[in-house]
């Protein structure tokens, strides 16, 4: 599975960005997709994930500001980010797996099998 993120950039606090992740499944079954992020000098942290086509989970700091969605026909994942804060500055990584979002360890990096290269988001 190949995942390619796009849509990152630099915005002022309060602004918005929409991240995309285009997936190439190569015959491998992946039902769940999501986002992690890593700020400079910090551990990679889970942000959000979606399983099936519509059941979403969010970490507390982004809930009500970020919206995750998926277009299964296009094998594309989105993250709509509103009311961005400087604390959201990080490299954002797309992840995919057969069932990672539906199990209790969805927030752990090792639960997910497929990763993209990341897209940078900077909020000033």
């Amino acid at each position: 599975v190949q995942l390619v993120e796009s849509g990152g950039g630099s915005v002022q606090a309060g602004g918005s960005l929409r991240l995309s992740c285009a997936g190439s499944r190569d015959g491998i079954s992946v039902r769940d997709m999501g986002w992690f992020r890593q700020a400079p000098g910090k551990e990679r942290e889970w942000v959000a994930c979606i399983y099936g086509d519509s059941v979403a989970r969010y970490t507390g700091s982004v809930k009500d500001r970020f919206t995750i969605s998926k277009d299964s026909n296009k094998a594309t994942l989105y993250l709509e980010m509103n009311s961005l804060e400087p604390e959201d500055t990080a490299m954002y990584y797309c992840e995919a797996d057969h069932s990672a979002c539906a199990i209790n360890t969805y927030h752990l990096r090792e639960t997910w099998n497929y990763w993209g290269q990341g897209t940078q988001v900077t909020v000033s």
Side-chain angles (χ1 to χ4, degrees):
V1 175
Q2 295 184 358
L3 303 172
V4 180
E5 302 95 334
S6 62
S10 297
V11 296
Q12 292 187 338
S16 300
L17 282 174
R18 189 192 196 202
L19 305 184
S20 298
C21 172
S24 173
R25 295 184 179 179
D26 300 326
I28 298 173
S29 175
V30 288
R31 183 196 67 182
D32 299 356
M33 298 183 76
W35 297 93
F36 275 64
R37 66 185 180 186
Q38 188 167 16
K42 294 188 177 181
E43 295 289 323
R44 192 171 298 192
E45 66 170 352
W46 172 76
V47 176
C49 64
I50 187 167
Y51 64 95
D53 288 331
S54 62
V55 183
R57 302 178 185 264
Y58 299 92
T59 192
S61 63
V62 309
K63 196 173 182 180
D64 299 328
R65 298 189 299 123
F66 291 10
T67 302
I68 190 171
S69 61
K70 184 172 69 169
D71 184 333
S72 295
N73 292 331
K74 297 180 181 179
T76 301
L77 180 72
Y78 302 99
L79 186 67
E80 187 76 35
M81 305 187 295
N82 299 313
S83 302
L84 282 162
E85 303 168 353
E87 293 75 21
D88 296 315
T89 295
M91 184 73 80
Y92 282 71
Y93 296 91
C94 174
E95 75 262 12
D97 188 82
H98 176 66
S99 60
C101 189
I103 62 178
N104 290 339
T105 56
Y106 59 84
H107 59 291
L108 298 179
R109 183 178 178 181
E110 54 265 33
T111 299
W112 298 83
N113 283 307
Y114 305 105
W115 296 87
Q117 295 300 308
T119 185
Q120 178 67 38
V121 171
T122 303
V123 185
S124 59

